[in-house]
Amino acid sequence: MPNYSRIALKMLAAAVETSREESGKKREPVDTSASTPERSWRRNVIGILSVAMLGLGGVFYFAGIGEETLGSASTHAFVTAALLRVGLVLGALWLAWDSLKRPARWLPPGLAVAGVIGIVVVAAQPRLILAIAPALGGLAVLTGVMRIFRSK
């Protein structure tokens, strides 16, 4: 069995190096206007799918339609809940569509990578949360302090 703490430390070191490399670069502003045709039609499709799923889930829930078609009450409850949940997520995606292409300027890119790697490592070995959480917290503080001193 591999030593997960060494692997995690190597991944965190790589994330810090990536953060150092990318923090020196100037970020280009991203155009977030919804005037581009590809984004507007995609946003519209997501909104339509959201409304359709929420509407169909509501009809299934309140009118009880679909229980005969789906076979059993448990399948009907599962499909109804799935339609409502996916509809809610698509609705949230529709609301947040304009900000999806914009990078979060307050979050250093290396820290985001380290966070994803930390989640994967903790999913593989849950006991490592005791080492990963303080390491990510220290990395966040360190990158914040470095950013403050670099901006001057």
Side-chain angles (χ1 to χ4, degrees):
M1 183 169 211
N3 188 352
Y4 287 109
S5 53
R6 285 187 185 171
I7 294 171
L9 290 176
K10 285 181 183 179
M11 286 193 256
L12 286 174
V16 169
E17 286 299 318
T18 304
S19 175
R20 284 184 192 157
E21 290 172 2
E22 291 189 9
S23 64
K25 298 177 186 175
K26 293 284 184 183
R27 290 187 182 175
E28 296 292 324
V30 178
D31 180 27
T32 58
S33 64
S35 63
T36 56
E38 69 200 31
R39 273 201 252 159
S40 61
W41 76 264
R42 288 179 182 166
R43 184 172 191 238
N44 291 339
V45 168
I46 288 174
I48 291 168
L49 284 174
S50 172
V51 168
M53 287 187 175
L54 286 172
L56 192 60
V59 167
F60 274 22
Y61 182 75
F62 290 115
I65 298 172
E67 190 168 339
E68 303 84 22
T69 312
L70 295 172
S72 68
S74 63
T75 305
H76 177 262
F78 174 77
V79 170
T80 303
L83 283 170
L84 291 173
R85 288 176 183 163
V86 172
L88 285 173
V89 169
L90 286 177
L93 184 64
W94 177 78
L95 286 174
W97 186 260
D98 291 334
S99 64
L100 289 176
K101 296 290 181 179
R102 243 184 325 193
R105 295 200 181 269
W106 55 269
L107 183 66
L111 188 61
V113 170
V116 170
I117 291 170
I119 289 171
V120 169
V121 170
V122 168
Q125 191 70 29
R127 287 181 283 156
L128 285 178
I129 196 165
L130 299 174
I132 300 267
L136 287 177
L139 185 62
V141 169
L142 181 66
T143 56
V145 169
M146 286 174 28
R147 185 173 277 192
I148 288 171
F149 285 124
R150 279 199 185 144
S151 65
K152 290 182 179 182

